[in-house]
């Protein structure tokens, strides 16, 4: 299992400083949230790319209905080159409750946002190939056959594409099916009342079995979980994470969403959870 840290919303300078500290402290990845109105995470990650050399950089998550796919492709290709091929894009339909009511022109219905997420995954995958294509979706339309390839930006460093992680709500087939088109699932779970629940080791085993049985792509696939071990001692952390590792989870993202900079520094310096074999 690899261990990432989800940083609190912060200025690009702070993101750069915390990312450098995370790399020095042994973390495998740094991830930034995205919101309808915030300091742009792509700029924050660009700053982080300049202060790090090893650690993976990513979004957690990009609400794609707020981002035009070809603009997201342009920014991500630039950041992939800047970082030397260390970018991962976490994608989702967006958390409408996070202030979207203040921007009434944005699309908020579930069906449309899910369609926009599906189409964005398709379009990003095609744009990264740097080939001509036409695309006619419900929400986005492209006619790259009308644009000379001379004017296309370069391919990303990472091939066949920048890794895409997508939120997948277990065990909803449509949500999980969407994740199969990507390179990883940010696994979430809801109960019968649609309330969030912790993903269990048994859930991870079932997700892995589902992916193995249904995914047609041959590229590596991550099962990504997120949460907090900040208040746990070493034995409790081992008890929480080891069964998830054995079940097939490949990433644990330690969430510091609401932490102050001081608290974030303290947690990052402690390093990733130390697990025995």
């Amino acid at each position: 299992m690899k261990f990432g840290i989800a940083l609190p919303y912060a200025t690009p300078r702070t993101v750069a400083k915390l990312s450098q500290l995370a790399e020095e402290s042994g973390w495998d990845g740094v991830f930034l949230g995205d919101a309808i109105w915030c300091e742009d995470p792509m700029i924050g990650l660009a700053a982080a790319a300049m202060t790090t050399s090893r650690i993976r950089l990513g979004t957690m998550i990009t609400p794609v209905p707020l981002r035009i796919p070809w603009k997201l492709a342009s920014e991500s290709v630039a950041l992939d080159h800047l970082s030397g091929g260390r970018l991962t894009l976490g994608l989702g339909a967006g958390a409408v409750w996070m202030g979207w009511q203040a921007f009434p022109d944005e699309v908020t219905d579930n069906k449309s946002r899910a369609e926009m997420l599906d189409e964005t995954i398709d379009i990003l995958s095609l744009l990264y190939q740097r080939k001509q294509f036409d695309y006619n979706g419900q929400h986005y339309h492209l006619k790259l056959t009308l644009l000379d390839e001379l004017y296309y930006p370069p391919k990303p460093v990472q091939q066949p594409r920048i890794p895409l992680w997508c939120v997948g709500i277990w065990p909803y087939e449509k949500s999980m099916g969407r994740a199969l088109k990507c390179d990883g699932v940010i696994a979430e779970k809801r109960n019968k009342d649609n309330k969030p629940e912790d993903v269990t080791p048994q859930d991870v085993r079932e997700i892995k079995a589902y992916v193995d049985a249904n995914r047609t792509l041959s590229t590596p696939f991550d099962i990504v979980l997120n949460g907090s071990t900040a208040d746990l001692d070493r034995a409790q952390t081992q008890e929480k994470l080891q069964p998830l590792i054995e079940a097939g989870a490949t990433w644990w993202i330690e969430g510091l969403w609401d932490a102050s900079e001081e608290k974030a520094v303290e947690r990052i310096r402690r390093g990733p959870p130390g697990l025995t074999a």
Side-chain angles (χ1 to χ4, degrees):
M1 176 179 272
K2 294 182 179 179
F3 296 98
I5 199 92
L7 298 180
Y9 288 91
T11 67
R13 286 184 184 275
T14 299
V15 169
K17 181 174 68 174
L18 294 178
S19 298
Q20 184 177 28
L21 179 62
E23 182 168 89
E24 293 169 352
S25 301
W27 294 88
D28 299 301
V30 163
F31 297 85
L32 299 185
D34 197 355
I36 196 165
W37 191 25
C38 66
E39 293 189 84
D40 195 307
M42 300 301 266
I43 295 176
L45 291 174
M50 301 303 292
T51 59
T52 61
S53 61
R54 171 192 61 81
I55 202 166
R56 183 149 287 272
L57 309 171
T59 56
M60 189 98 180
I61 60 166
T62 298
V64 297
L66 304 178
R67 307 286 182 259
I68 299 172
W70 39 96
K71 175 64 170 171
L72 182 56
S74 299
E75 293 173 345
S76 57
V77 165
L79 184 49
D80 194 57
H81 279 269
L82 182 63
S83 66
R86 292 185 284 134
L87 178 64
T88 295
L89 282 181
L91 307 176
V96 174
W97 58 270
M98 290 182 64
W100 290 36
Q101 72 277 4
F103 301 85
D105 292 335
E106 296 295 347
V107 176
T108 57
D109 70 279
N110 292 341
K111 182 176 184 295
S112 295
R113 289 186 297 115
E115 290 170 347
M116 295 167 85
L117 177 54
D118 277 321
E119 292 181 20
T120 296
I121 293 168
D122 294 340
I123 291 168
L124 288 175
S125 300
L126 291 167
L127 288 173
Y128 291 150
Q129 295 177 23
R130 204 182 182 273
K131 295 178 181 178
Q132 289 188 329
F133 68 92
D134 293 338
Y135 187 90
N136 292 301
Q138 293 291 321
H139 302 273
Y140 305 114
H141 306 86
L142 293 90
K143 292 191 176 296
L144 261 69
T145 53
L146 301 180
L147 181 63
D148 193 303
E149 292 181 34
L150 174 67
Y151 302 106
Y152 293 12
K155 290 181 179 181
V157 173
Q158 299 177 92
Q159 288 296 316
R161 65 182 175 192
I162 294 168
L164 305 178
W165 291 351
C166 181
V167 172
I169 302 173
W170 182 252
Y172 295 99
E173 187 169 351
K174 184 172 288 189
S175 179
M176 293 301 301
R178 180 181 301 118
L180 295 181
K181 301 192 297 180
C182 297
D183 307 291
V185 59
I186 303 170
E188 297 183 0
K189 185 182 178 183
R190 304 279 175 81
N191 63 21
K192 61 181 180 180
D193 297 320
N194 205 35
K195 303 283 188 179
E197 284 189 348
D198 288 341
V199 176
T200 67
Q202 181 58 31
D203 294 326
V204 173
R205 279 188 286 272
E206 292 175 1
I207 290 170
K208 186 177 187 306
Y210 174 83
V211 171
D212 291 344
N214 294 282
R215 188 168 184 260
T216 58
L217 299 175
S218 59
T219 49
F221 189 86
D222 285 306
I223 298 176
V224 185
L225 305 178
N226 66 91
S228 177
T229 62
D231 297 328
L232 305 180
D233 62 26
R234 184 182 180 90
Q236 291 170 325
T237 300
Q238 177 89 19
E239 183 179 0
K240 180 182 179 71
L241 296 185
Q242 194 65 39
L244 297 170
I245 296 172
E246 293 170 357
T250 60
W251 274 87
W252 173 264
I253 310 299
E254 186 81 7
L256 299 179
W257 306 112
D258 299 321
S260 66
E261 182 178 343
E262 182 181 11
K263 289 292 186 183
V265 167
E266 178 185 336
R267 178 65 191 93
I268 291 168
R269 279 182 174 158
R270 284 168 49 193
L275 303 182
T276 58

